[in-house]
Amino acid sequence: MAALIDAISVKRKTFFEFEGTPFCCLEAEVNTPTARGGQTLVRLKMRNLLTNAVFEKSFKASDKFKEPDLQSVQASYLYSDGDGSHFMDQESYETVTLNGEMVGDALEFLIEGAFVELRRYNGNPIGIELPIFVELSVAYTEPATRGDSSGGATKPARLETGLEIRVPLFIKEGEKVKVSTESREFAGRA
């Protein structure tokens, strides 16, 4: 039998099952009442792992959730076409195809051969988890102009996947940069 998780012990990035659906906690806030006899409530901002929908819901601290049957395996990105995005499971070497809804905007961070975590729920693929940082080449950016070196100045850059971010002025076309997949921001030179 799957372990039960108390609502009060759910923290950020905790996976749990609610109404037969797997969720990931994005934020958790505990509200303790000041009056005697009041119930402690836990407000969760959670993402449905099947639909990627995000919503908030309050639970009693004593509510219990099942632990979802989730597995993660390393996979490499192969290509995308009209059928979806294709990944190779690095353990079984089988090709797994995910539709656009399962991949979401992750394609903006994926180049051929990039490694991701392929997430399965009850044995069926439901989506991917990107690494915290990815390295991508700058496909286009304006050259820096002389005398434009005031602290923290940035310019727009289009990366090889089509993603547009702001980079420091010293970054040139063709350079590899490190990009945060959470904030979608420049994180340094690669």
Side-chain angles (χ1 to χ4, degrees), residues 35-69:
R36 283 188 229 206
Q39 280 195 322
T40 300
L41 295 177
V42 180
R43 184 161 187 77
L44 299 179
K45 183 174 184 181
M46 49 202 218
R47 178 184 306 276
N48 181 324
L49 294 177
L50 301 179
T51 65
N52 278 331
V54 175
F55 59 93
E56 291 187 20
K57 188 162 176 60
S58 291
F59 299 94
K60 294 177 192 159
S62 60
D63 285 350
K64 299 199 180 306
F65 303 113
K66 278 178 38 182
E67 208 171 280
D69 178 20

Side-chain angles (χ1 to χ4, degrees), residues 141-153:
T141 188
E142 296 285 330
T145 52
R146 230 168 146 63
D148 211 3
S149 59
S150 59

Side-chain angles (χ1 to χ4, degrees), residues 86-104:
H86 305 276
F87 298 86
M88 181 182 289
D89 183 322
Q90 293 297 299
E91 290 177 9
S92 67
Y93 297 108
E94 68 176 292
T95 301
V96 178
T97 303
L98 301 179
N99 65 33
E101 193 177 279
M102 291 175 176
V103 176

Side-chain angles (χ1 to χ4, degrees), residues 123-180:
N124 299 316
I126 60 167
I128 60 170
E129 186 172 326
L130 293 168
I132 297 170
F133 296 104
V134 292
E135 294 181 2
L136 298 170
S137 295
V138 176
Y140 175 79
T141 188
E142 296 285 330
T145 52
R146 230 168 146 63
D148 211 3
S149 59
S150 59
T154 61
K155 60 184 179 179
R158 188 173 60 249
L159 305 180
E160 61 187 307
T161 59
L163 177 65
E164 296 204 8
I165 63 168
R166 304 225 27 111
V167 297
L169 296 177
F170 58 82
I171 298 292
K172 298 177 184 73
E173 248 176 63
E175 267 190 83
K176 276 201 174 279
V177 294
K178 203 153 102 176
V179 181
S180 164

